[in-house]
Each structure stands twice: as structure tokens, then as C-alpha cells.
Amino acid sequence: MESWVDGQPADVLSLKDRGLAYGDGLFETIAVRNGRPLLLERHLQRLETGCQRLALRVDMTVVSAELSAYARCQGDGVMKLIVTRGDSRRGYAADPSATARRILQGSAPVAYPAAHAEQGVFLFPCSVRLSEQPLLAGLKHLNRLEQVLARAEWTDSRYADGLMQDASGRVIEGVFSNLFLVRDGVLSTADLSRCGVAGVMRAELLFQANSQGIATQIMDISLEQLHQADEVFVCNSVYGVWPVLGCGSARWSAGPLTRKLQTLARALLDA
Amino acid sequence: MESWVDGQPADVLSLKDRGLAYGDGLFETIAVRNGRPLLLERHLQRLETGCQRLALRVDMTVVSAELSAYARCQGDGVMKLIVTRGDSRRGYAADPSATARRILQGSAPVAYPAAHAEQGVFLFPCSVRLSEQPLLAGLKHLNRLEQVLARAEWTDSRYADGLMQDASGRVIEGVFSNLFLVRDGVLSTADLSRCGVAGVMRAELLFQANSQGIATQIMDISLEQLHQADEVFVCNSVYGVWPVLGCGSARWSAGPLTRKLQTLARALLDA
């Protein structure tokens, strides 16, 4: 699938783009099925929040229409939208009247091993810690060196993702997933007000769980609380839900609430 | 001056570049005078340190030769080298055998007001705090959203730069400068082991001061210590040294040690 820049076919970008110079932008990775972008409203919501916090001028109506048009051309797969502050002038100062640049790239459906969803996965315990920056926390921005360094910590394919903690040792998320735990029937996930990416599937699962009367809480999670959990799973908007079987010395088994939410996620992604 | 990508004239970049996707790379901004890159060895040293810490494969001999060749073509101005991990495959995992991509861009000499160096400057007291990430501290990497947000805090041209503190309130640096203070004849600058960019001019001034028997220290600097300083100045490898006259309610005057180091910096940049 060809890429688009500001709605036009293109496979290259200006060297002056501030996305390259400073990571000055945001992205969304969106599953596409039968010509439709999945969880589109939630992706647009997060993007809009990010644009507001970074003062990026984006016409959300144009973005929405473009994502739908691209998905129709793509059919099935994953599309990645990058929004940057456009070309640089000199230095960090931006032109406040500049409108953001939209970059759309498509790729084939991701072929994860079926066992990840069916049996569950192991997480590599990453030593790279997430730094705390409340101004950027929750956003899917382009400053992702911490994830690059964390992902480079393991090559063993037995690990489907890595577990990331913040500088204070709190359990935050996977390298490319959000993490949930279940204890005594309560579904918990990390508070992302200091660091982390507020995933679209995380938001959807919290919403669905609340709708079904499942107790949820957003909280600080210690390593001890993680170890004592009855169930642990990771999620994102491309693969849905994977039960977590272990991380470091801790072991869990795929439990009923994980399976229930996995089924819900699959229904959304098979739509 | 045309740009080069991997030594060849180019003004565009692959959309798959990891510099765009993740800010997965480093940069150097180098003053060029009479066809020569200034402080070249220090720029190369910092770049090499950064490449080692990010596990970026770069042939430093090639980089050095290319910077010299570009400077010869450019004559006078500023050149910016960006080194990225090249094209992305899928996700954060990188190909460990991939060699880095080199992007060189040139611009005209920067016309800062002469008064900045002659009289001194005021710093805007930024509210954006630098997050603490020891793995990235000191590097001039491409994850610069904090600087973008900080620079957006002021538009009043009376402020030549902004003062940045870390999350704990320590005084770290300017948005695009390093900061020094003088107290009782001792020259001090911030410890950059948790955050900040270890500037080439900062390193050179520390070296020159030590060579001349001026006492130096690298330390944690509180706002109170900054306020009580006898002299304050900012520096970088393009403009040299600017005395700082004020920040917030604090006022200083351009003192003798600042003027001495400014003269040294000017000699290096007028070389």
C-alpha cells in the first residue's frame, strides 16, 4: 500500500520536518479490516487530546475522512498515521500558524503466533525505566527512545513484549501494550498521569468492563501487587488481548476475566 | 546549501526513517567558518558517545570526512548533522546490523543581536521541567519535545533563551544553551547525569578554565544558588558566551570571568 503525505501519494518527506528534527508530533497505529479503520473514534479522541497538549493545529475532520479513505484502499492490515508540526524554521521555536503535516503508511496484517492469544505470553522484565513527564504522559508522541532502548534488551522470541516500570519502580505498561491485572475480581491498570501511553484498547476495555458491571480501578501498581495478581494480561488495538503467563520469577495463568475481555476485544477487531 | 543524505545530495528522506518514527537518532549543530567545522573533535566525541549509548553503528571516519567536505562547500554558516538508525522494519525492534543514516543540512550564519554578547541577555523562567532519564542524559538525541514545549512558553524577544529546571527543581540549562555560574571565583555548571545536553562549548569552557587554573565544579544547582551567583552566563557552540542579566526576579551583571571566557569562546569561533 502506497503512503500518503497530506492526502497525496508520496514515499518521501522533507528533511526539514520537525518530526525528524525533534520528534515533534504524534502517531496512531490503527487496525484496518474490510476497508474500515477499527476503534476510529478512540484513535481520533487520543490524537485530538495530543494535538491540544502539543498545540498542533490539525483539522480533525480532514484526518477522519483521510483515515477512512485510506482504509478503503487498504482493505485489511495496519495503518500508521504520523502527524508532525511540519517543516522547521530555525531552532525549537515553531510557527504558531503552521498546520500539521499528515503522513499515512500502510502495512499488511501482523502475523503474531496464534499461541500468544490462545495460551498466553511471557514478558521480558526491562531494566530501562520510563521517565516521568506529566506534560507528555498518556500521549502517543514521537519521542520513543525509551521504547527503542527497552525493546533492544531482548532478542529471545519467547518474550512477546517487555514489562516497563517508571523511575520509582511502579509497573506501567508493556513496550507496545498496556497492562492490566485482576485481583479478587477487580480489574486494574496503571495510572498514566506521569508516563506511559494511554492505549486505545485500554480505554475501550475499561469502558466495556464498566458497562458490564466489572469493578475497575486506575492506580499505582507495585511489583509486589503485580506478583500477587490472580490474572495479568496485555492489550493493544492491533492484537487485542494476550494473557500473561510470566515475567521474571512471577507466574500467572490465563483466567476467566482475561478470557472474557479477550473475547470482547476480538469481537471489536473482527468487526 | 544543498543537503546530503549518506554523502549524496538529497532534500527528502524515506518515510520509514526511524528518526521520524521514534526520534531514534542523534544530532550535532556545528559552526562552520572559512570552510572548516569548528570544535569538530568535541562534536565527534559527543556523537560517538551517543552512538555507543544508543548502539547506533556509525563509521566515525566517514562522518568526520563528510563534515569536513560539507564545510568546505559551505564556507560559513551552521551545519546540522542528524544520524538516525535508518529505515524501520516493524515496531520498535531494530536490525542490529543496520548502519546509521547520515543527514547533513546547512544554513546561513545566525544573525543574533550584537547586544546579546555585548550587554547580556534575559532568560525566560520556563515552567516545563526536564524529566530525568540517566540513559539519555547528556546526549543530543532527537527526542526534544520538552525543548519544543519550553520554547513555546515565550514569544517576547526580550528573552534570548529560557531557563530549564529538572523535575526536582534543580537548575539544568537553557533551552538551547548550557548555563554556568560564578561564585567567589569558582565556575560551576550543572551535573548532567540525570537530564540535559552536555554541550560542546560547555566541555570546551570547562577544559579552558581548568587549563588556566580557574576552579571549576560540576554540581547540583538550586534556584537559590543561581540567585546568589556573582555572575551567570549561557553558552553554545554557535554563539559562544552570552552574559545573563536576569531571570525571573534575579539580576546579575556581566562579570570579569564571564568576559574572559567569552573572549576565549570568541577566539575559538572566529578561528
Side-chain angles (χ1 to χ4, degrees):
Chain A
M1 177 75 190
E2 69 183 3
S3 300
W4 295 358
V5 175
D6 287 339
Q8 300 300 314
D11 55 7
V12 291
L13 183 72
S14 160
L15 288 180
K16 292 187 183 302
D17 191 273
R18 290 175 61 101
L20 172 67
Y22 308 128
D24 191 6
L26 300 161
F27 70 111
E28 294 289 334
T29 307
I30 305 172
V32 175
R33 193 161 171 97
N34 296 323
R36 290 193 311 111
L38 303 183
L39 296 165
L40 179 61
E41 285 310 311
R42 290 205 182 272
H43 283 291
L44 291 172
Q45 271 170 26
R46 179 174 59 185
L47 181 66
E48 191 168 16
T49 301
C51 288
Q52 284 163 357
R53 279 169 62 189
L54 299 185
L56 272 169
R57 288 162 58 100
V58 175
D59 186 332
M60 294 304 294
T61 313
V62 171
V63 170
S64 176
E66 210 164 273
L67 291 173
S68 295
Y70 195 85
R72 276 195 298 278
C73 298
Q74 192 178 11
D76 288 283
V78 175
M79 67 179 171
K80 179 172 178 173
L81 168 68
I82 297 178
V83 167
T84 78
R85 207 182 303 270
D87 276 5
S88 201
R89 297 188 299 181
R90 172 165 236 142
Y92 295 115
D95 176 359
S97 69
T99 55
R101 177 172 283 149
R102 307 175 307 277
I103 301 162
L104 259 172
Q105 299 170 277
S107 52
V110 195
Y112 291 114
H116 284 11
E118 289 166 11
Q119 275 105 64
V121 300
F122 288 84
L123 302 183
F124 183 84
C126 294
S127 64
V128 173
R129 300 294 181 97
L130 294 164
S131 62
E132 298 177 18
Q133 176 50 275
L135 297 175
L136 299 175
L139 305 187
K140 205 165 170 84
H141 56 68
L142 297 174
N143 281 199
R144 301 261 73 107
L145 270 171
E146 291 176 341
Q147 282 72 25
V148 170
L149 293 178
R151 183 59 190 85
E153 288 192 60
W154 80 94
T155 52
D156 187 335
S157 62
R158 282 182 306 155
Y159 299 106
D161 197 354
L163 178 73
M164 299 197 75
Q165 296 168 261
D166 70 10
S168 308
R170 299 180 196 95
V171 171
I172 304 297
E173 61 190 5
V175 175
F176 62 99
S177 313
N178 286 115
L179 182 136
F180 281 84
L181 60 84
V182 178
R183 179 76 198 253
D184 298 331
V186 179
L187 181 69
S188 301
T189 191
D191 177 4
L192 303 180
S193 58
R194 300 180 203 92
C195 58
V197 176
V200 156
M201 186 57 84
R202 171 181 178 272
E204 182 65 24
L205 291 179
L206 284 169
F207 171 79
Q208 297 268 354
N210 283 324
S211 307
Q212 305 216 359
I214 298 164
T216 63
Q217 58 184 355
I218 292 169
M219 63 177 201
D220 288 343
I221 299 175
S222 68
L223 213 48
E224 193 182 1
Q225 284 171 309
L226 179 71
H227 286 192
Q228 291 169 350
D230 302 322
E231 307 174 30
V232 176
F233 66 87
V234 286
C235 67
N236 79 19
S237 64
V238 172
Y239 68 67
V241 167
W242 291 338
V244 177
L245 302 177
C247 180
S249 61
R251 291 292 176 273
W252 307 277
S253 47
L257 193 45
T258 298
R259 292 303 188 190
K260 181 171 184 161
L261 293 167
Q262 185 177 45
T263 303
L264 282 169
R266 190 173 294 139
L268 292 165
L269 299 180
D270 286 347
Chain B
M1 177 75 191
E2 68 183 4
S3 300
W4 296 358
V5 175
D6 288 339
Q8 301 298 315
D11 55 7
V12 291
L13 182 72
S14 159
L15 288 180
K16 293 186 180 303
D17 191 273
R18 290 174 61 100
L20 171 68
Y22 308 128
D24 191 6
L26 300 161
F27 70 110
E28 294 289 334
T29 305
I30 305 172
V32 174
R33 193 161 171 97
N34 296 323
R36 290 192 312 111
L38 303 184
L39 295 166
L40 179 60
E41 285 310 311
R42 290 204 182 274
H43 283 290
L44 291 171
Q45 271 170 26
R46 179 174 59 185
L47 181 66
E48 191 168 16
T49 300
C51 287
Q52 284 163 358
R53 279 168 63 187
L54 298 186
L56 272 169
R57 288 163 58 101
V58 175
D59 185 332
M60 293 304 295
T61 313
V62 171
V63 170
S64 176
E66 210 163 273
L67 290 173
S68 294
Y70 195 86
R72 276 194 300 277
C73 297
Q74 192 179 10
D76 289 282
V78 175
M79 66 179 170
K80 179 172 180 173
L81 168 69
I82 297 178
V83 168
T84 79
R85 209 182 302 270
D87 275 5
S88 203
R89 297 187 297 180
R90 172 165 235 144
Y92 295 117
D95 175 0
S97 70
T99 54
R101 178 172 283 150
R102 308 177 305 279
I103 301 162
L104 259 172
Q105 299 169 279
S107 52
V110 195
Y112 291 114
H116 284 10
E118 290 166 10
Q119 276 106 64
V121 300
F122 287 84
L123 303 183
F124 183 84
C126 295
S127 65
V128 173
R129 299 294 181 98
L130 294 164
S131 63
E132 298 178 18
Q133 176 49 274
L135 297 174
L136 299 175
L139 305 187
K140 205 166 170 83
H141 56 69
L142 297 174
N143 280 198
R144 302 260 74 107
L145 271 172
E146 290 175 341
Q147 281 72 25
V148 170
L149 293 179
R151 183 58 190 85
E153 288 191 59
W154 79 93
T155 52
D156 187 334
S157 61
R158 282 182 306 154
Y159 299 107
D161 197 353
L163 178 74
M164 297 197 76
Q165 296 170 261
D166 70 9
S168 307
R170 299 180 197 97
V171 170
I172 304 296
E173 60 190 5
V175 175
F176 63 98
S177 313
N178 285 114
L179 182 136
F180 281 84
L181 60 84
V182 179
R183 179 77 197 253
D184 298 331
V186 179
L187 182 67
S188 302
T189 190
D191 177 5
L192 303 181
S193 59
R194 300 179 202 91
C195 59
V197 177
V200 155
M201 185 56 85
R202 171 183 179 271
E204 181 65 24
L205 292 179
L206 284 169
F207 171 79
Q208 297 266 355
N210 283 324
S211 307
Q212 305 214 0
I214 299 164
T216 63
Q217 57 184 356
I218 292 169
M219 63 176 199
D220 288 342
I221 299 174
S222 67
L223 212 49
E224 192 182 2
Q225 284 171 309
L226 180 71
H227 285 191
Q228 292 169 350
D230 302 322
E231 307 175 29
V232 176
F233 66 87
V234 287
C235 68
N236 80 20
S237 64
V238 171
Y239 68 68
V241 167
W242 290 337
V244 177
L245 302 177
C247 180
S249 62
R251 290 293 177 272
W252 306 278
S253 49
L257 193 45
T258 298
R259 291 305 189 189
K260 181 172 186 162
L261 292 168
Q262 184 177 45
T263 303
L264 282 169
R266 190 173 294 138
L268 292 166
L269 299 181
D270 286 349

